[in-house]
């Protein structure tokens, strides 16, 4: 499995984690991002604004990638669920898809989201769970996947769509659940949580990245859930962090109201991942939280701009 | 009902038919098109390339429309079902929607298509027929409607979506079914048809335009079928034209193979149109064909570029 891959969102939470696995898999990696991040020296960086159609077309025509791994999207915590920018990124992704296909690209994998599913269903299955996104973010991703499917059929492109569940790990935005609890406790501050009954499918970002690289290297078609298949209550995540840091006393459950939109149970059915792709996550929750805590310990010693009390749940 | 409406696709088959009804309904009409067509003097024309995002944004900011009626799309006969341009028009429509909403627009109606439905279902109902478009055209329209729905909810926009069935009438592209049969017979040439068993919901373009203007002036939400509710076999349409022109002998059924993709029965369930909008088409098939034949008679005496034998069925 080799090829020349264009990786978008390469400085983002998941994109940056995909760089190493892509190199290991033998890809010539062309990373597109607004800024460089630590990466093997052989990675080629392209500082391109993907919302600028001309810049994007020039980039694709110059690189002539055989593979496309598309993570770039608007991802501002607290805003991205409803932001108008979702329309811009849907539009930009359509331009990218067309440019990639026209320049001779063969295999494309794009990042979807579990928010495409009707969440009241609970266990989310690619083939039977209704796709009724309640947010503009979920709907724009869903619309992109639908167009990708028909476009691929009509133009002989091989394509897949990874629906990401609840990733955590190094480089996550600090206002989100796992980082905000870790940072609060590391700094001896109280962590104000909701009651935390809601169950989610958490998966380490390294596993998410590995799954996408495996998907890119396969010829699997259509949507594939990228999750662990294991449901864990948000409260349990916080308690595990509390226990590991010896500060369970700082966890205040019920101090925040759960938002109405938070469904009780969102977990991936991972049969496609396990049975068709023969892939399983390598990192269990305890090991994943341990490395994440270590990473934040280092980060806190370097950064002074992290205010742990401001976390939002972001539907986790 | 008054307001300032931005009408896109204003020189197209359906858009041009909407100009009169919009004026009669009291709208200040701002028509966007690549070329002017005959219209009341009070209509303001804007020659703008809607695929140019900057031009489009400037236009919307200058006009500040309260209403948007969006027909513009790629519509090249024989090509539009599968053309990559469908992605461009989906992207352009997303830019237009956002610009309209940001500039203070209140009510938007966009043109969808019966090709959004899974056609094997036959009678197409807005609330229960599966939306499984088999073509890139149908899918891009469907995706636009899905995004429009959630965007409207989140940003307090009033919106509806008219799913057009099989319009016919003056100004239709000459290679399509009704014009090609009329032109052939008017010129004393044979009309080569498929067996013509397939049943379609034909509706006069004037009725389509009137339905859209009524929809724009209402506060009805979501998708509404724009059809007659009457199924007619393609063969019957040709036979009525043959009878009216006294040349049934020129009709050659079975001379063309039906394409595989042609489903046997596509007819609109028009309960929303009739019961919620209290609207019915004004033109029956005989009257509609009569005026269409008269229009083509005039057109043929003016134009020399019409070659009746080259018609394609375009899934009718």
């Amino acid at each position: 499995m080799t090829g020349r891959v264009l990786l978008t969102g390469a400085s983002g939470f998941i994109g940056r984690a995909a760089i190493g696995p892509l190199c290991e898999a033998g890809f010539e990696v062309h990373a597109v991002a607004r800024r460089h991040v630590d990466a093997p020296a052989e990675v080629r960086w392209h500082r391109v604004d993907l919302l600028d159609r001309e810049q994007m077309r020039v980039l694709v025509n110059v690189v002539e990638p055989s593979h496309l791994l598309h993570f770039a999207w608007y991802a501002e915590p607290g805003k991205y669920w409803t932001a108008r920018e979702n329309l811009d990124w849907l539009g930009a992704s359509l331009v990218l898809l067309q440019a990639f296909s026209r320049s001779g690209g063969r295999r494309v994998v794009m990042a979807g989201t579990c928010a495409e599913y009707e969440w009241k269903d609970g266990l989310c299955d690619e083939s039977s769970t209704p796709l009724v996104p309640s947010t503009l973010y979920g709907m724009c991703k869903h619309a992109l996947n639908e167009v990708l499917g028909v476009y691929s059929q009509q133009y002989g492109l091989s394509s897949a769509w990874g629906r990401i569940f609840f990733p955590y790990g190094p480089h996550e935005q600090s206002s989100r659940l796992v980082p905000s609890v870790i940072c609060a406790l590391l700094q001896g501050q109280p962590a104000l949580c909701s009651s935390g009954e809601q169950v989610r499918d958490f998966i380490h970002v390294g596993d998410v990245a590995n799954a996408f690289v495996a998907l890119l290297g396969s010829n699997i078609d259509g949507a594939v859930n990228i999750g662990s298949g294991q449901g864990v209550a948000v409260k349990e995540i916080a308690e595990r962090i509390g226990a590991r840091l010896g500060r369970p006393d700082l966890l205040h459950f019920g101090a925040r109201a759960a938002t109405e939109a938070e469904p009780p149970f969102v977990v991936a059915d991972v049969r496609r991942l396990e049975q068709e792709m023969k892939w399983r996550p390598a990192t269990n929750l305890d090991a994943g939280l341990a490395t994440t805590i270590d990473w934040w310990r280092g980060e806190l010693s370097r950064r002074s701009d992290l205010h742990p009390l401001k976390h939002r749940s972001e539907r986790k």
Side-chain angles (χ1 to χ4, degrees), chain A:
Chain A
M1 176 187 67
T2 49
R4 185 183 300 145
V5 64
L6 192 70
L7 171 69
T8 74
S11 64
F13 177 40
I14 297 169
R16 68 192 300 155
I19 296 173
L22 284 169
C23 292
E24 283 158 31
F27 282 103
E28 177 185 316
V29 178
H30 290 256
V32 189
R34 281 161 302 180
R35 60 195 172 93
H36 295 193
V37 296
D38 287 344
E42 69 263 33
V43 171
R44 297 159 205 212
W45 288 91
H46 303 274
R47 203 170 298 186
V48 163
D49 177 3
L50 292 178
L51 295 177
D52 181 318
R53 291 186 289 186
E54 272 318 295
Q55 280 189 35
M56 189 199 288
R57 287 198 190 105
V58 168
L59 170 72
V60 171
N61 288 334
V62 168
V63 173
E64 291 190 326
S66 59
H67 291 65
L68 170 62
L69 184 52
H70 178 42
F71 289 114
W73 200 270
Y74 180 78
E76 188 68 26
K79 294 185 181 171
Y80 71 97
W81 293 108
T82 57
R84 298 183 204 254
E85 282 82 352
N86 286 297
L87 273 63
D88 301 330
W89 280 98
L90 171 53
S93 301
L94 295 169
V95 175
L96 177 61
L97 171 61
Q98 219 188 125
F100 173 73
S101 159
R102 282 179 188 271
S103 77
R106 300 191 310 266
R107 169 80 177 161
V108 52
V109 174
M110 294 191 178
T113 165
C114 61
E116 292 169 66
Y117 291 114
E118 186 170 42
W119 273 355
K120 70 178 185 197
D121 257 48
L123 190 69
C124 300
D125 169 65
E126 297 95 339
S127 58
S128 68
T129 304
L131 293 158
V132 187
S134 62
T135 62
L136 198 55
Y137 171 70
M139 186 53 95
C140 287
K141 286 279 192 178
H142 172 54
L144 177 58
N145 180 34
E146 289 190 303
V147 174
L148 173 64
V150 176
Y151 185 94
S152 299
Q153 273 175 19
Q154 291 194 184
Y155 289 97
L157 202 61
S158 169
S159 70
W161 180 261
R163 292 209 177 104
I164 303 170
F165 279 66
F166 296 88
Y168 71 94
H171 297 286
E172 193 175 2
Q173 296 257 17
S174 61
S175 63
R176 293 178 64 98
L177 174 75
V178 169
S180 66
V181 173
I182 291 174
C183 291
L185 271 52
L186 282 173
Q187 298 178 309
Q189 306 274 359
L192 308 182
C193 306
S194 70
S195 65
E197 309 294 337
Q198 65 275 30
V199 172
R200 297 291 178 266
D201 183 323
F202 287 93
I203 177 167
H204 191 271
V205 66
D207 282 329
V208 174
N210 275 316
F212 268 97
V213 174
L215 190 53
L216 187 69
S218 78
N219 56 11
I220 284 177
D221 187 61
V224 179
N225 286 341
I226 310 290
S228 69
Q230 305 292 319
V232 180
V234 162
K235 185 174 186 177
E236 187 182 334
I237 293 273
E239 285 174 341
R240 288 197 194 197
I241 294 168
R244 186 165 288 276
L245 290 173
R247 294 306 303 269
D249 57 303
L250 291 175
L251 300 170
H252 296 272
F253 296 108
R256 276 198 331 104
T259 66
E260 252 182 75
E262 284 184 25
F265 187 93
V266 182
V267 175
D269 182 317
V270 291
R271 280 177 295 182
R272 281 208 87 181
L273 207 53
E274 292 190 351
Q275 292 168 20
E276 288 183 54
M277 272 184 57
K278 313 289 180 203
W279 186 91
R280 281 173 191 270
T283 309
N284 68 31
L285 190 56
D286 273 323
L289 288 176
T291 58
T292 305
I293 288 170
D294 285 348
W295 186 85
W296 278 107
R297 203 173 257 130
E299 196 69 2
L300 284 177
S301 72
R302 285 187 299 274
R303 291 167 62 178
S304 57
D305 62 328
L306 295 171
H307 300 288
L309 298 182
K310 291 192 194 153
H311 82 82
R312 286 180 291 257
S313 84
E314 307 306 333
R315 290 205 159 186
K316 277 195 184 164

